[in-house]
């Protein structure tokens, strides 16, 4: 007679001793590797050189804000004004030349090593006149085209090495006695000349569309400040926005092609 109570069950219940899934034995190793990777990534992030963007809050006789200058800055680096002056130099204020200047320059130093002068602004009387400036551009084989900026102003865009924008503002001002005898009579316009000076933030001499339009916007803002400094006796008319600045460099290349 067989003792059924003490006979081992040839078919053990699988729930009594379930097999371990083959993948679980690797879970501790996976978790360890993941932790090492996270720690290593955190260390690299901490040790990574910090990249920042520095733009002056105001520049060019305090006429320009950080927002005006941002299109001329790269992704990471420092945009700074070279030798700032608080006032615009004009013939109407000859006694304050030590705090005045008719030029403004901004330099760019990128974290990637690139350098340039993405902005150069000059304000002066248009002694020779608009047509004489156009003739001089033509003599140097620089493509120049007038832009529609409304009454009271004249706009010229050029395709020289810095792709400059010139804004002429109708202004009646007096030239003080003692100035250059050849320039006793003031011209009917003062001129705001804006462009790059020695390359852009991208390392090229040709500005991008964003930079070209920034030149026009900057010329208009500087003209507003200059009209007060020149003490224009007439009512200065300036447009609300600058006209679209074309890429004359590409047009010139296409015409020669």
């Amino acid at each position: 007679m067989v003792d059924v109570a003490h006979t081992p069950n040839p078919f053990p219940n699988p729930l009594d001793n379930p097999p371990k899934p083959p993948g679980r034995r690797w879970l501790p190793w996976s978790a360890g590797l993941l932790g090492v990777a996270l720690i290593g990534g955190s260390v690299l992030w901490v040790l990574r050189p910090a990249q920042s963007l520095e733009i002056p809050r105001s520049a060019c006789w305090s006429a320009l804000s950080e927002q005006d200058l941002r299109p001329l800055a790269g992704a990471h680096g420092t945009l700074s004004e070279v030798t700032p002056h608080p006032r615009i130099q004009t013939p109407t204020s000859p006694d304050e030349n030590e705090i005045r200047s008719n030029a403004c320059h901004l330099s760019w130093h990128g974290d990637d090593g690139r350098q340039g002068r993405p902005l150069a602004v000059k304000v002066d009387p248009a002694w020779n006149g608009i047509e004489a400036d156009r003739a001089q551009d033509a003599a140097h084989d620089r493509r120049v085209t007038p832009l529609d900026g409304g009454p009271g102003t004249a706009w010229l865009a050029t395709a020289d090495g810095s792709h400059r924008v010139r804004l002429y503002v109708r202004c009646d001002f007096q030239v003080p006695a003692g100035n250059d005898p050849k320039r006793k009579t003031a011209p009917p316009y003062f001129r705001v000349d804006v462009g790059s000076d020695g390359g852009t933030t991208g390392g090229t001499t040709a500005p991008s569309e964003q930079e070209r339009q920034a030149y026009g916007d900057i010329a208009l803002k500087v003209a507003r400040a200059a009209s007060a400094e020149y003490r224009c006796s007439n009512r200065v008319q300036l447009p609300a926005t600058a006209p679209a600045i074309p890429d004359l460099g590409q047009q010139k290349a296409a015409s020669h092609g």
Side-chain angles (χ1 to χ4, degrees):
M1 182 174 184
V2 178
D3 186 359
V4 178
H6 296 87
T7 302
N9 186 1
F11 304 102
N13 189 343
L15 297 179
D16 294 339
N17 189 21
K20 293 183 179 181
R24 289 187 178 179
R25 69 186 65 180
W26 299 105
L27 287 179
W29 293 97
S30 301
L33 292 175
L34 180 60
V36 172
L38 290 175
I39 294 174
S42 300
V43 171
L44 291 177
W45 184 86
V46 172
L47 297 179
R48 185 186 64 178
Q51 292 182 327
S52 61
L53 177 61
E54 297 182 20
I55 303 176
R57 293 184 178 180
S58 65
C60 296
W61 315 284
S62 299
L64 305 179
S65 66
E66 180 179 349
Q67 184 178 359
D68 300 319
L69 302 173
R70 187 170 295 276
L72 303 178
H76 303 285
T78 301
L79 187 68
S80 59
E81 183 176 359
V82 181
T83 316
H85 287 81
R87 306 290 294 273
I88 297 176
Q89 180 178 332
T90 70
T92 59
S93 300
D95 298 331
E96 297 180 338
N97 286 340
E98 67 278 1
I99 65 170
R100 291 177 176 266
S101 174
N102 72 330
C104 172
H105 299 270
L106 267 75
S107 63
W108 169 256
H109 297 272
D111 289 347
D112 58 359
R114 294 181 181 179
Q115 299 183 16
R117 291 282 184 91
L119 180 64
V121 183
K122 187 176 182 181
V123 183
D124 57 2
W127 295 110
N128 298 327
I130 301 173
E131 291 305 319
D133 286 350
R134 293 186 64 176
Q136 184 177 12
D137 287 327
H140 289 83
D141 194 28
R142 290 193 290 258
R143 183 180 176 86
V144 59
T145 185
L147 306 175
D148 185 10
T153 63
W155 295 75
L156 294 179
T158 68
D160 63 359
S162 57
H163 290 67
R164 311 198 71 81
V165 175
R166 297 196 192 108
L167 169 57
Y168 298 81
V169 179
R170 182 74 173 84
C171 175
D172 298 331
F173 64 94
Q174 299 295 322
V175 177
N179 277 23
D180 188 342
K182 298 180 181 179
R183 296 178 173 178
K184 287 184 177 181
T185 303
Y189 292 88
F190 70 78
R191 177 181 60 186
V192 181
D193 188 298
V194 181
S196 63
D197 185 12
T200 65
T201 56
T204 64
T205 56
S208 65
E209 179 181 358
Q210 187 181 33
E211 289 170 320
R212 291 196 311 271
Q213 193 57 49
Y215 294 158
D217 297 338
I218 287 172
L220 183 57
K221 293 202 71 172
V222 171
R224 297 188 192 282
S227 62
E229 293 286 358
Y230 268 81
R231 305 173 186 174
C232 306
S233 59
N234 63 306
R235 181 177 176 273
V236 175
Q237 300 183 66
L238 290 171
T241 58
I245 309 302
D247 186 1
L248 299 180
Q250 287 189 356
Q251 295 180 14
K252 184 175 181 180
S255 64
H256 285 291

